[in-house]
Amino acid sequence: MGQDLISDPEAVAALERADALHTALTHIVLEGGDLAAIAEAVGDALGCGVVFTSTDGRERAAHLDEAQREALAGHDLVDPSGRLRVERIDSEGTAVGGGEALVRRVVAAGVDLARLVALRLDGTIHSSDVHALERAAIVAALLVTRVEAITAVENKYRGDFLRDVFLGRAGEDDYVAEHAQAFGWHLDRPVMVVVAVLDPDAIAALAPGPNERRAWQDRFANAWRQVCATVDESIASVAFSREVVTLVPVDPDAGLADGHVAVDRIVQAVRGDRGGGRISFSAGVSRIATDLSELPEAFRQAQRSVEIGRRVHGTGSVTRFDQLGLHRLLALVPDGAELTAFASDVLGPLAERTPEAADLRETLQVLLDTNFNVAEAARAQFFHYNTMRYRVGKLQRLLGPVATDPHLRLDVAVALRALEIVG
């Protein structure tokens, strides 16, 4: 059998490739190389394309030519944001034209760190090459662990600094701007502050343990940093305990709409097609902060926006401070119980948490939106005209002359918004 192995040209060539790769990986480890160096070494030694991605498929380093990238895209393995759909690539091999792609997890101490994807366009990947890829994944895990340990310290330092900026205790503007430049940030320019938070309901549905929850938060923060770096490397993006804060630069001459477009582009890139184990998130967007002195208020605006937006619009919402309307004033009431009491006083039984009350509140909101035009409200809710007239009568028995009393109508409208705030 040993003689057969030696006489098999393909097996001999695979062993030679593995030996060359082992030598190359040893040099990379000793010389402190990075993932790009490992990808290049693996690709050159095995004669295939190699990509290292985050666990959800965001490219971290690659050794691919244009033909290989086009093949991946042509087989729907790349989403519109550029994310490699690693969840569609099998560990046993996935056909890509006349070739094959396969994926290996990069794991250290039980922690899922990254993905290694190999691609050969002119045939399948030899079993000996698969073993070489697994060896490369182990080396990559050591490197990623080392880099993430350093990055965690740097990110904490950056986060503490930006938190001090938001609290107004980071020092004079000149010092803040100079210190930010040491991080590669440009803070002294017009920006919109974006606060993004993983949706609690989405997390609760998955029932993660503490380590998994922390890994999700780290992955979320890394996604924001990576996407922002492709837009502008001087964008500040940091992770606080449960939120990611990003300062998106805007052109003051282009106006507010241009800033919203820039924010939406980044949010969409982070969100992608929600594959690869991504969790839904909500975001709040501030007004434009024209200089450093306005950053603390802009941060508060973004925080308020994401909190209210999630309550009013549900998970996955992007809420802008300028669009909060009345919710913005109601959110300033520090005591949620006071808002609940006001809603109960005005709405009575309609404030209850029952399906019937919720159904009537929906009809009431439609009537308010249509200025109590019964025919228009009936069409909006797909009711018969007489059914809507009956509902109007029932609402007026519960609330009073809401169709004709403008002051009562205002109270009712505010009470409905208050219920949205308190959840």
Side-chain angles (χ1 to χ4, degrees):
M1 182 176 176
Q3 185 64 35
D4 291 340
L5 183 62
I6 294 173
S7 62
D8 181 353
E10 187 176 356
V12 172
L15 289 172
E16 289 175 349
R17 291 194 297 271
D19 184 62
L21 178 59
H22 176 74
T23 301
L25 292 177
T26 302
H27 285 302
I28 290 171
V29 171
L30 293 176
E31 295 170 5
D34 55 13
L35 283 179
I38 295 178
E40 182 178 359
V42 174
D44 290 344
L46 304 185
C48 61
V50 176
V51 189
F52 282 104
T53 75
S54 60
T55 55
D56 61 353
R58 297 184 186 279
E59 185 177 309
R60 300 181 62 168
H63 184 66
L64 293 172
D65 58 31
E66 283 305 310
Q68 291 165 334
R69 288 189 181 277
E70 289 174 5
L72 289 170
H75 285 76
D76 204 25
L77 294 176
V78 180
D79 82 358
S81 71
R83 183 185 73 86
L84 188 60
R85 290 180 166 130
V86 290
E87 68 276 9
R88 298 186 181 182
I89 303 175
D90 195 89
S91 60
E92 299 300 321
T94 297
V96 178
E100 180 183 52
L102 59 78
V103 65
R104 283 293 180 269
R105 295 170 65 213
V106 178
V107 182
V111 179
D112 208 358
L113 299 173
R115 295 289 183 271
L116 188 166
V117 176
L119 170 66
R120 177 166 288 147
L121 296 181
D122 57 355
T124 60
I125 298 174
H126 194 276
S127 59
S128 296
D129 290 343
V130 173
H131 292 307
L133 288 171
E134 290 172 347
R135 186 183 304 170
I138 294 172
V139 174
L142 296 173
L143 188 148
V144 171
T145 301
R146 183 190 70 196
V147 170
E148 289 194 350
I150 297 172
T151 302
V153 175
E154 292 177 345
N155 288 339
K156 184 181 184 308
Y157 185 48
R158 292 176 179 178
D160 289 345
F161 171 71
L162 197 57
R163 187 180 286 105
D164 285 344
V165 172
F166 291 146
L167 292 173
R169 62 188 189 194
E172 300 296 328
D173 287 358
D174 289 344
Y175 169 78
V176 170
E178 181 180 347
H179 199 70
Q181 288 178 0
F183 297 137
W185 295 344
H186 184 186
L187 296 187
D188 194 14
R189 60 182 172 183
V191 298
M192 283 180 170
V193 178
V194 181
V195 171
V197 182
L198 291 173
D199 290 320
D201 291 345
I203 294 177
L206 297 170
N211 291 337
E212 192 174 9
R213 183 188 294 269
R214 193 177 307 112
W216 286 342
Q217 186 68 29
D218 290 343
R219 186 191 310 164
F220 184 50
N222 287 335
W224 275 90
R225 280 192 292 267
Q226 188 169 346
V227 169
C228 288
T230 64
V231 175
D232 181 345
E233 291 188 347
S234 65
I235 292 178
S237 184
V238 301
F240 292 162
S241 58
R242 294 186 179 275
E243 57 194 10
V244 177
V245 184
T246 304
L247 277 56
V248 179
V250 297
D251 182 354
D253 297 328
L256 194 62
D258 183 72
H260 289 323
V261 169
V263 170
D264 289 343
R265 190 180 299 119
I266 292 175
V267 168
Q268 187 55 45
V270 173
R271 184 167 285 154
D273 63 0
R274 303 194 182 189
R278 298 190 197 184
I279 300 170
S280 68
F281 66 89
S282 299
V285 186
S286 75
R287 288 174 170 169
I288 295 177
T290 58
D291 56 40
L292 288 169
S293 66
E294 296 180 2
L295 285 180
E297 177 58 26
F299 176 57
R300 287 189 288 271
Q301 291 171 1
Q303 282 186 313
R304 199 174 307 147
S305 297
V306 70
E307 180 182 352
I308 297 172
R310 196 169 57 227
R311 291 180 183 177
V312 175
H313 304 300
T315 60
S317 61
V318 177
T319 307
R320 297 172 174 84
F321 185 75
D322 282 328
Q323 297 175 341
L324 289 178
L326 181 60
H327 293 108
R328 178 177 143 206
L329 293 178
L330 294 175
L332 295 176
V333 178
D335 188 0
E338 182 62 32
L339 290 176
T340 302
F342 172 76
S344 296
D345 290 344
V346 174
L347 298 176
L350 291 186
E352 295 175 359
R353 304 302 183 186
T354 64
E356 181 184 6
D359 184 46
L360 284 173
R361 286 199 302 271
E362 184 178 351
T363 296
L364 178 58
Q365 185 62 63
V366 171
L367 286 164
L368 290 170
D369 292 341
T370 58
N371 198 27
F372 270 80
N373 184 315
V374 177
E376 187 177 345
R379 286 193 297 271
Q381 286 209 294
F382 303 100
F383 288 159
H384 189 276
Y385 179 82
N386 288 336
T387 302
M388 184 57 73
R389 284 189 60 191
Y390 169 77
R391 288 197 161 216
V392 171
K394 184 174 184 178
L395 287 169
Q396 295 210 106
R397 287 194 298 273
L398 292 171
L399 301 173
V402 65
T404 56
D405 185 338
H407 298 294
L408 177 57
R409 191 182 299 186
L410 176 61
D411 285 347
V412 167
V414 172
L416 288 174
R417 294 293 183 269
L419 280 183
E420 291 177 338
I421 292 292
V422 297

